[in-house]
Amino acid sequence: SDLQKQEERGELLQPLTFVLLVLCSVLLYFKVSLMDPGFVKSEEEVKAGNIEEQSMVIPQVPSNIKMRRCGYCMVKQPMRAKHCQLCQHCVRRYDHHCPWIENCVGEKNHPLFIAYLSVQLVVLLWGGHVAWSGLYFEQSWDWLQHNIFLLMSFLLIVIFTIVVLLLLISHLYLISCNTTTWEFMSHHRISYLRHSELENPFDQGVILNLWRFFC
């Protein structure tokens, strides 16, 4: 492959960069998997009226919608929080439970989740290029026997690249609208959205939505 040829020539910049990107993606994976996604804690009930999420709700959200108590963990749910059956916790600004990381994606780890997807996409694209550069096609059984592993690796990389790309695009779109996967999929079942005069009462424009999310 191209990286192997560069390493043999003593040109280590790109091989080291590739290794560092892979290491970065692994570290981001464990960070997003193991960190608190924004669990709602019982001691926060007293401060529930002053939490940041409430201050972000704009006037179009009906004032008669009160914070409800979760029937599972018995804490008062802030606006945009949802109970996750798999994590057994209510999560602030709940987006979804990701089986990929075995953790919820919520208020605290959502930006890092986007960073992880972005780095992973770069690694997959680069890895696909490396795998393709090592393939020299010949119509023979011996060639297939010697290259079957590399060929299967390339096909798997292509599949994962498509999945990660679609996931990243969908999340960036939802972020630009200041909505979550859960709100987007269950709009008709969420009281503060169903009773709102606006389709999305949290949308403050693409630039401000992105700024609030990432900064």
Side-chain angles (χ1 to χ4, degrees):
S1 67
D2 287 346
L3 286 185
Q4 184 179 1
K5 292 175 182 177
Q6 290 176 8
E7 189 272 333
E8 290 172 351
R9 294 196 302 264
E11 301 172 1
L12 301 179
L13 179 60
Q14 289 194 30
L16 286 176
T17 303
F18 181 75
V19 171
L20 288 174
L21 273 175
V22 173
L23 180 61
C24 180
S25 71
V26 173
L27 292 176
L28 280 171
Y29 172 83
F30 283 108
K31 176 66 174 177
V32 176
S33 299
L34 299 175
M35 73 181 295
D36 176 2
F39 294 134
V40 180
K41 298 178 177 60
S42 57
E43 59 264 27
E44 294 178 354
E45 289 185 22
V46 178
K47 303 176 183 179
N50 299 319
I51 59 176
E52 182 180 355
E53 287 85 349
Q54 294 296 325
S55 65
M56 292 175 63
V57 177
I58 60 177
Q60 284 83 353
V61 177
S63 58
N64 60 342
I65 297 178
K66 306 299 182 182
M67 292 175 60
R68 71 183 185 90
R69 188 175 295 276
C70 176
Y72 297 98
C73 52
M74 303 308 294
V75 298
K76 284 187 177 180
Q77 287 185 336
M79 187 77 72
R80 311 187 80 177
K82 182 184 181 297
H83 183 85
C84 176
Q85 296 280 12
L86 296 174
C87 292
Q88 293 297 308
H89 283 286
C90 286
V91 179
R92 293 183 181 276
R93 202 180 182 277
Y94 175 86
D95 189 87
H96 71 289
H97 183 93
C98 180
W100 199 329
I101 63 173
E102 275 300 316
N103 193 13
C104 281
V105 175
E107 180 183 74
K108 290 186 177 180
N109 66 348
H110 201 169
L112 273 180
F113 181 72
I114 298 299
Y116 163 68
L117 289 179
S118 302
V119 173
Q120 191 65 60
L121 181 61
V122 173
V123 170
L124 286 168
L125 290 171
W126 197 347
H129 170 73
V130 170
W132 181 260
S133 69
L135 288 171
Y136 298 95
F137 294 97
E138 296 178 8
Q139 293 182 352
S140 68
W141 179 249
D142 288 338
W143 177 89
L144 184 60
Q145 284 183 314
H146 285 92
N147 291 273
I148 186 65
F149 178 75
L150 190 58
L151 189 59
M152 291 179 62
S153 298
F154 177 74
L155 293 176
L156 282 174
I157 288 173
V158 170
I159 293 172
F160 284 126
T161 300
I162 294 173
V163 172
V164 172
L165 179 62
L166 292 176
L167 192 60
L168 181 59
I169 290 174
S170 65
H171 272 276
L172 289 176
Y173 168 74
L174 293 175
I175 291 167
S176 69
C177 299
N178 197 1
T179 189
T180 64
T181 302
W182 172 58
E183 290 172 342
F184 181 78
M185 300 294 293
S186 305
H187 187 280
H188 62 286
R189 295 193 291 113
I190 302 174
S191 59
Y192 60 80
L193 295 178
R194 190 173 67 247
H195 296 105
S196 174
E197 296 178 1
L198 299 177
E199 184 176 353
N200 179 12
F202 304 105
D203 187 6
Q204 296 179 306
V206 175
I207 295 177
L208 190 56
N209 291 339
L210 293 173
W211 175 265
R212 285 184 176 275
F213 182 85
F214 288 108
C215 305

